[in-house]
Amino acid sequence: MKIHRLIKNAAIVLTGLALACSITRTQAQTIITDYTNTFDNDGNTTMYQNNYMYWYSLYQDCFGAGYNINMTNDPSMDADGNTNVSGSLYCYSPFAPRGSIPPNGTAAIPSYGDQSLMSGTFGGGLFDTSVQMKIVTVTNISFKIHVLPGTITDETGNFGTIAVGLKSVGYNADTAYYTNELTIPGAATNGWVTLSETNAQQFQNAGENSGDTYAQGPEFYYTQYNATSYPTNLVVFWIDDLVIQSSVAPPPPPPPPTVSISPAVQGLNLFTGAGNSTALYNRESIESVNPNYSWVGASGPVSYSFTITNYPVGSNDAVQCQIFLIPNPGTETAPDYTESNLVFLDLESDTPNGGGVEWNFRYKTNEPNGNSFVYGAGTLASIGTNTAIGTWTVTFNNNTNVTMTIPGGASTNFNIPDSTGATSALFASGVDLYFGAQAGNAGGVNDHIVASDFSVTGLGSSDFNDNFVADAGILNSSIWETNAAFPSCVQLVGPGNPYWIQWTEPATGYTLETAAALSDDTAWTAVTNNVAFISGTNYTQLVSTNDLQAGNAAFFAVIQHNNQLQVLWPGETAAPGTPTGKTGTPTPVSISTNGGSVTFTVNAVDSKWNLIPTINDTVAIMSSDSAATLPGSSPLTSGTGQFTITFATTNSQTVTATDVTQGNVAPNTSSPILVTP
């Protein structure tokens, strides 16, 4: 069968707004197009800054003083030397090495894996939303920074990275649209340096994808989530001459998505994450349902083995495939970091060495919330080869002697340090087994790997040989459960699913459709047998043979329709392509029996009532029953959401769903539902 790919844009309405001047007023709000803050002290020598704060984490952790602590202005430091009339924003980030204990009487508590998030407003107070800026119009953010002389640098001679961005509107607004991470150079201790981000497309994409229109202020994000990464010590710096610029109209809309098609390989497909930078280091894994996978005390060798059959990883992409063996873990998706004890088989694309893969044996003991030992003294062996395709086996010959065997038969043998038996004792029981993947750089977030099997031998009743291909698209629930930061990134592909189709973000409102031929009146049909999901910077959807048209050719398009909402009561079923989009009759609800409460479904659909899984807009609910208890506004997930209303009035009632994110989406009023006493 020939497979063709194309983009079709249907019923797309593009609008632009040209502002007559740089400031407009709507109700009690001022909308600005430019912002400059030189952090004037206005003669204030108490170092108080009334509209900037430490938003959370470091100051709560270190001082126990709660959130939202005011930042300070330092009148003695000014980027332009105008200390009499200006000053700068003083930024104090008390990161501390793991295990360090401050002297009695000091405020700081050791912190690790923490963040210093500093937030401001365009207005005059910490939560002032009276002055706002349109997110999609921002073109540039720049500021000057000076680091306290004597501050410890990282291994590159710099002071780590800082991101700057915009904070959405509202008291609980913790959604910020950040630039790329900007490196703070070593020269920043010698004087003021300027950092800037000029990629306006980042802000446009953020606004378009989120549905948030306005920001209430700037935000700086300086982090440390790894005990071996920078910083692990107190960092003090000053920020001055913050400038945010925007155009008088939004930049042109992003181009329509581009589409790619690739064969789908049967077996366990592990995608490396969802969402560009947010996909980095997220573990997308399956985990054993039973904690019976300790090798300690076994009567003979114990082996853990998997086979990779497809590895479409770019030469510069950092991708990791891993086995974790962890005693008595919680439910977290990153147990290798969180838990105290770990054995870690780490198969990495060997980007630094020009290709191939490297398999590493790593471990740690008694190190919760960290991995400094794992990547230091806890790395006991490494062995590489030029391809990931093949079978990888680790064998514990006894409690401490280990052999790692790679495709082609090469191996390495070593011992786990355990002179007193204390290490073995930590892994003696309750060990869970994990198998998964993760991305280590921006290129890796768009990758995936395919495994055909996983087996364990030498444990007797806990042994298994799970053939992922023979599982026919259904994860063997007697062995595994999904434990992933983004569960949709764990896909078991069975027969009858020949292709992956991907299209780039942003793609709000687009759906994948297919046709047998192209003409002026082509009838497109939604591809619905598998659900689209986000992997990396792409939407990804598995195409079933049942989605393919008759004949020897198939055409695919991602199409953006004039979308609308659909409300379904219990008793009703979606029926795309029909005049009303649904069948069935609403099931009556009783006030005396269940208090009048009923849960219903709201779907984002196209003009033919097909679900649009790429819509995640926020939906508000109203009712004909003015005395009803309404659900709060809530975002859809993959185009659908559940809402619960409690009726207080009998007789026939309806609800109306409205999209509050996009004003051009048609609302929908439900069928009448009978409310009985």
Side-chain angles (χ1 to χ4, degrees):
M1 169 176 284
K2 297 178 181 178
I3 301 295
H4 303 266
R5 55 191 170 97
L6 67 152
I7 299 291
K8 181 178 176 65
N9 303 308
I12 301 177
V13 179
L14 303 180
T15 60
L17 174 64
L19 299 180
C21 59
S22 64
I23 296 180
T24 62
R25 295 184 184 274
T26 59
Q27 298 178 354
Q29 294 171 347
T30 299
I31 308 302
I32 61 173
T33 57
D34 295 286
Y35 171 80
T36 299
N37 195 337
T38 58
F39 301 98
D40 293 346
N41 61 55
D42 296 324
N44 181 359
T45 59
T46 59
M47 297 179 66
Y48 179 75
Q49 186 70 31
N50 68 340
N51 65 334
Y52 277 76
M53 63 182 167
Y54 298 100
W55 180 242
Y56 57 71
S57 279
L58 267 181
Y59 271 75
Q60 183 197 42
D61 296 344
C62 296
F63 298 136
Y67 302 121
N68 314 334
I69 298 174
N70 275 97
M71 297 184 71
T72 53
N73 170 286
D74 188 346
S76 68
M77 294 291 294
D78 184 81
D80 304 305
N82 300 322
T83 55
N84 292 329
V85 296
S86 186
S88 60
L89 185 66
Y90 178 78
C91 306
Y92 181 90
S93 298
F95 295 108
R98 180 182 313 284
S100 62
I101 304 297
N104 292 335
T106 63
I109 296 172
S111 65
Y112 51 84
D114 220 326
Q115 53 201 323
S116 184
L117 191 147
M118 298 160 283
S119 173
T121 65
F122 298 128
L126 294 183
F127 304 103
D128 189 338
T129 62
S130 63
V131 182
Q132 300 177 15
M133 182 179 289
K134 197 167 187 177
I135 296 168
V136 298
T137 66
V138 173
T139 58
N140 176 73
I141 300 180
S142 66
F143 60 98
K144 295 178 181 178
I145 189 168
H146 178 33
V147 178
L148 179 70
T151 302
I152 299 173
T153 64
D154 63 15
E155 65 277 5
T156 68
N158 299 313
F159 298 102
T161 59
I162 188 170
V164 61
L166 301 166
K167 187 171 120 179
S168 59
V169 176
Y171 175 82
N172 292 317
D174 56 3
T175 300
Y177 307 108
Y178 291 110
T179 65
N180 291 317
E181 294 182 339
L182 306 174
T183 298
I184 305 174
T189 55
N190 300 327
W192 294 90
V193 296
T194 300
L195 301 180
S196 62
E197 174 58 63
T198 59
N199 184 0
Q201 192 66 55
Q202 291 191 95
F203 300 105
Q204 183 188 0
N205 291 349
E208 296 285 350
N209 289 339
S210 69
D212 286 330
T213 303
Y214 294 100
Q216 68 184 29
E219 194 159 76
F220 296 91
Y221 193 39
Y222 191 59
T223 61
Q224 185 264 100
Y225 275 106
N226 184 319
T228 62
S229 71
Y230 183 87
T232 56
N233 52 273
L234 171 67
V235 178
V236 174
F237 53 82
W238 296 266
I239 289 174
D240 203 359
D241 293 352
L242 171 63
V243 177
I244 303 177
Q245 297 174 320
S246 65
S247 61
V248 295
T258 58
V259 177
S260 62
I261 299 175
S262 60
V265 178
Q266 292 186 52
L268 180 66
N269 285 239
L270 296 170
F271 289 81
T272 49
N276 194 353
S277 62
T278 60
L280 292 179
Y281 314 116
N282 280 324
R283 287 68 159 170
E284 315 299 347
S285 306
I286 54 176
E287 177 187 0
S288 62
V289 296
N290 295 310
N292 301 325
Y293 294 99
S294 171
W295 70 93
V296 176
S299 59
V302 175
S303 295
Y304 308 83
S305 177
F306 61 91
T307 301
I308 293 179
T309 53
N310 190 246
Y311 195 75
V313 174
S315 59
N316 294 316
D317 298 353
V319 171
Q320 176 179 300
C321 176
Q322 70 264 341
I323 294 174
F324 300 148
L325 293 166
I326 300 177
N328 307 305
T331 59
E332 65 274 3
T333 61
D336 56 311
Y337 183 86
T338 304
E339 298 298 329
S340 300
N341 307 299
L342 163 74
V343 163
F344 176 14
L345 277 300
D346 176 13
L347 176 62
E348 298 186 8
S349 55
D350 195 13
T351 301
N353 296 321
V357 290
E358 184 176 75
W359 206 24
N360 305 283
F361 185 99
R362 312 183 195 274
Y363 85 106
K364 70 173 180 177
T365 58
N366 301 308
E367 187 187 25
N369 299 309
N371 53 20
S372 59
F373 186 82
V374 170
Y375 290 99
T379 299
L380 300 182
S382 298
I383 184 170
T385 183
N386 61 357
T387 178
I389 305 300
T391 299
W392 302 80
T393 303
V394 57
T395 300
F396 291 82
N397 302 300
N398 53 43
N399 288 357
T400 58
N401 185 260
V402 182
T403 300
M404 296 166 60
T405 306
I406 65 176
S411 65
T412 185
N413 181 265
F414 55 93
N415 288 298
I416 303 172
D418 191 23
S419 60
T420 65
T423 298
S424 297
L426 293 173
F427 295 91
S429 63
V431 172
D432 276 20
L433 166 67
Y434 300 75
F435 179 57
Q438 63 178 284
N441 67 7
V445 304
N446 288 314
D447 291 321
H448 78 286
I449 65 173
V450 183
S452 62
D453 61 72
F454 197 108
S455 65
V456 177
T457 61
L459 294 178
S461 60
S462 295
D463 289 356
F464 67 83
N465 184 3
D466 188 4
N467 186 321
F468 296 130
V469 176
D471 288 340
I474 301 174
L475 191 66
N476 189 330
S477 60
S478 66
I479 301 174
W480 305 106
E481 61 185 353
T482 299
N483 182 333
F486 297 94
S488 60
C489 289
V490 176
Q491 296 278 329
L492 204 67
V493 176
N497 297 284
Y499 304 104
W500 288 112
I501 293 185
Q502 293 186 310
W503 59 99
T504 55
E505 293 189 88
T508 300
Y510 285 83
T511 57
L512 179 64
E513 302 192 12
T514 184
L518 294 180
S519 66
D520 291 340
D521 58 349
T522 294
W524 293 93
T525 303
V527 176
T528 59
N529 280 275
N530 297 294
V531 176
F533 60 95
I534 297 178
S535 62
T537 59
N538 300 310
Y539 283 94
T540 300
Q541 190 163 351
L542 185 62
V543 175
S544 164
T545 53
N546 295 326
D547 292 313
L548 301 178
Q549 305 288 323
N552 65 350
F555 297 85
F556 291 93
V558 289
I559 301 176
Q560 187 181 46
H561 294 280
N562 283 331
N563 55 296
Q564 60 185 334
L565 296 178
Q566 177 189 56
V567 177
L568 298 175
W569 293 115
E572 293 182 315
T573 302
T578 64
T580 63
K582 57 188 174 185
T583 61
T585 302
T587 303
V589 58
S590 168
I591 293 177
S592 60
T593 301
N594 54 18
S597 293
V598 59
T599 299
F600 57 94
T601 299
V602 177
N603 292 325
V605 294
D606 63 20
S607 58
K608 296 181 180 180
W609 305 102
N610 294 295
L611 181 71
I612 306 177
T614 56
I615 296 288
N616 298 303
D617 293 356
T618 296
V619 171
I621 304 297
M622 299 298 292
S623 175
S624 60
D625 182 359
S626 60
T629 301
L630 301 176
S633 298
S634 180
L636 303 179
T637 301
S638 299
T640 189
Q642 301 292 309
F643 297 81
T644 300
I645 187 172
T646 301
F647 289 111
T649 308
T650 58
N651 296 322
S652 180
Q653 303 291 353
T654 62
V655 295
T656 298
T658 302
D659 189 314
V660 299
T661 301
Q662 300 185 73
N664 62 341
V665 176
N668 183 254
T669 298
S670 70
S671 307
I673 187 172
L674 180 61
V675 181
T676 63

